[in-house]
Amino acid sequence: MRIFGKAFSLGLIALLSVSLVGCGTTPKPASTDTSAPIKVGGNLELSGGTAMFGQAAQNAINLAFEQQNAKGGVTGRQLQLVAADNKSDAGESTSSVTKLVTQDKVVAVIGSMTSSVTLAAVPVVTDNKIPMISPSGTNSKLTVNPTTGAVNAWVFRACFIDPFQGQVAANFALNNLKAKNAAVIIDQKSDYSKGLAEAFVANFKKGNGVITGTEQYVAGSDKDFRPILTRIKAQNPDMVWLPGYYQEVGLIVKQARELGMKMPFMGGDGWDDPQLLNIAGAEPLNNTFYCDHVATDDPALATFVKDYKAKFNLEPNAMAALGYDAANLLIKAIEDAKGTDPEKLRLALENMKGFKGVGGEITIDPKTHNPQKSAVVKEYKSGKVTFVTRVAPQ
């Protein structure tokens, strides 16, 4: 009876399989189904310490895709963002991208917004040969292996890199702030913070500046920064270089002013979020400066700002502009590749020249996968961010 039952079951399964094939219900592979939407993964910080970055980027990517879909999509197909929340955590980033690539079958990944969280995803996209574009990950290790010097073939970015940002900041400190010495405060677990600190220190010393001391903290854990600020105050530096993210930066600047530290503070693009003002307060932020990718009052961004505000009833920040550029960079690459074949898409990104983004023109260096683009320096005055200067790559 068991043998008969087993044979009957196998025969029934075979018959059903033939019937299903004959009815045409076997799904087509995603790569050959030209009627299916093009699924793009979003590895974004939608919660956690840098959630404001990921949320702004998600809005901007959706805006870019919606605008392109209204024109008929790309290569005749609609675009669909499949967003995954990496919770501002490197381990979650690895899991998110693994799911996006292996289960959701995305053709490319946009994200993450921060360097450490993006770095965690590099092995996943490399192993699976899926292109990834980070809108705002600035650490040089994202696209170039620091040990071998070889380019990470599947990783790209839509922003300048930390060595350039650090150079801009150091030169501004020396030439505009007339600083002869500076103290440095680093988030010891952040590749972004450490990379920016290294670049600033090297360029500041190159200009005959002196580093009075370096202090460290742990983002997400430390809340009381008075001990390290007291040590810095005793050094009496002309300025403080603070390359961190807005949550800790706000607390550090506020506590520094409470201790009577009146010298300029300066940081990088991690400062760019309205929450910084809410955390620190308008008065403490006076005499602070930061490097950024765009100035939203730049006339070149007028249409993007208008469209973003109309859809989300929010003012876009630089992270939104970079997310928008990353999305449109991918759209252009799909057009140039005439489809979503991974290798053709990678080559299209690698050979991108003269792409007109809202954050400036982008030409990708095929040897580094870094774009050549300018930076801006901004200043806080009475609670408002004001444009100071624009600096082009040398």
Side-chain angles (χ1 to χ4, degrees), residues 67-373:
Q67 291 173 338
Q68 187 65 31
N69 286 340
K71 300 175 186 176
V74 58
T75 63
R77 298 169 65 185
Q78 296 285 285
L79 293 155
Q80 177 187 345
L81 176 65
V82 182
D85 180 12
N86 60 42
K87 303 177 183 178
S88 306
D89 178 80
E92 290 287 344
S93 176
T94 302
S95 300
S96 293
V97 175
T98 299
K99 179 182 178 297
L100 289 169
V101 171
T102 62
Q103 295 183 35
D104 298 314
K105 303 296 183 183
V106 300
V107 303
V109 174
I110 298 177
S112 176
M113 305 302 290
T114 58
S115 294
S116 295
V117 180
T118 305
L119 275 169
V122 171
V124 180
V125 296
T126 301
D127 291 344
N128 288 277
K129 295 181 169 55
I130 295 292
M132 177 171 71
I133 306 172
S134 172
S136 55
T138 52
N139 190 281
S140 57
K141 292 187 291 185
L142 297 187
T143 56
V144 177
N145 186 307
T147 303
T148 65
V151 67
N152 290 331
W154 297 93
V155 185
F156 301 84
R157 71 178 104 218
C159 58
F160 51 62
I161 61 174
D162 288 338
F164 174 58
Q165 188 175 189
Q167 180 189 61
V168 168
N171 289 341
F172 184 84
L174 291 162
N175 301 325
N176 296 68
L177 300 180
K178 306 300 181 184
K180 295 182 180 178
N181 54 68
V184 179
I185 304 178
I186 303 173
D187 175 359
Q188 62 177 301
K189 290 190 175 181
S190 168
D191 291 296
Y192 164 79
S193 185
K194 290 185 286 188
L196 265 182
E198 181 180 348
F200 175 87
V201 168
N203 284 281
F204 194 71
K205 287 182 176 179
K206 186 178 179 181
N208 296 319
V210 175
I211 302 300
T212 62
T214 300
E215 297 289 342
Q216 298 186 355
Y217 66 92
V218 179
S221 300
D222 295 339
K223 302 297 180 185
D224 183 3
F225 302 96
R226 291 175 181 83
I228 65 174
L229 289 169
T230 299
R231 290 193 289 271
I232 288 175
K233 183 181 179 181
Q235 299 163 13
N236 194 30
D238 294 331
M239 61 90 63
V240 177
W241 174 239
L242 177 56
Y245 293 119
Y246 59 90
Q247 289 191 325
E248 284 74 27
V249 166
L251 291 173
I252 290 171
V253 171
K254 182 180 181 181
Q255 292 173 22
R257 299 313 192 205
E258 290 170 350
L259 290 172
M261 299 172 67
K262 299 180 180 179
M263 72 283 289
F265 276 67
M266 187 173 185
D269 57 319
W271 286 38
D272 184 59
D273 194 275
Q275 287 298 317
L276 176 60
L277 178 61
N278 296 335
I279 296 167
E283 184 65 26
L285 284 172
N286 285 336
N287 201 29
T288 66
F289 306 81
Y290 68 97
C291 299
D292 209 349
H293 304 268
V294 298
T296 53
D297 56 352
D298 186 331
L301 274 73
T303 300
F304 165 68
V305 171
K306 177 176 69 67
D307 292 345
Y308 189 95
K309 288 172 67 176
K311 183 168 179 62
F312 303 108
N313 196 31
L314 294 168
E315 290 280 351
N317 58 11
M319 299 302 158
L322 289 169
Y324 189 76
D325 276 355
N328 281 298
L329 197 65
L330 179 60
I331 290 169
K332 181 64 167 62
I334 295 172
E335 289 175 345
D336 291 348
K338 296 180 172 57
T340 58
D341 176 80
E343 178 61 17
K344 291 180 180 178
L345 202 51
R346 185 190 73 78
L347 289 172
L349 286 167
E350 189 170 87
N351 293 289
M352 189 71 64
K353 293 181 174 64
F355 169 78
K356 305 292 185 182
V358 297
E361 185 172 293
I362 294 176
T363 291
I364 300 293
D365 182 344
K367 295 181 180 179
T368 64
H369 288 186
N370 297 324
Q372 300 168 3
K373 58 188 299 189

Side-chain angles (χ1 to χ4, degrees), residues 368-386:
T368 64
H369 288 186
N370 297 324
Q372 300 168 3
K373 58 188 299 189
S374 61
V376 298
V377 176
K378 300 177 181 178
E379 179 182 4
Y380 264 100
K381 290 183 178 180
S382 302
K384 293 185 178 181
V385 177
T386 61

Side-chain angles (χ1 to χ4, degrees), residues 5-81:
K6 183 176 181 181
F8 177 78
S9 299
L10 290 173
L12 181 61
I13 291 169
L15 179 62
L16 287 171
S17 299
V18 171
S19 299
L20 288 172
V21 172
C23 293
T25 56
T26 302
K28 298 178 182 178
S31 60
T32 61
D33 187 357
T34 57
S35 66
I38 296 173
K39 293 198 289 187
V40 176
N43 176 32
L44 301 169
E45 295 87 334
L46 302 179
S47 63
T50 51
M52 299 299 289
F53 292 169
Q55 292 166 10
Q58 182 183 43
N59 286 345
I61 296 165
N62 277 322
L63 176 62
F65 284 3
E66 180 182 284
Q67 291 173 338
Q68 187 65 31
N69 286 340
K71 300 175 186 176
V74 58
T75 63
R77 298 169 65 185
Q78 296 285 285
L79 293 155
Q80 177 187 345
L81 176 65

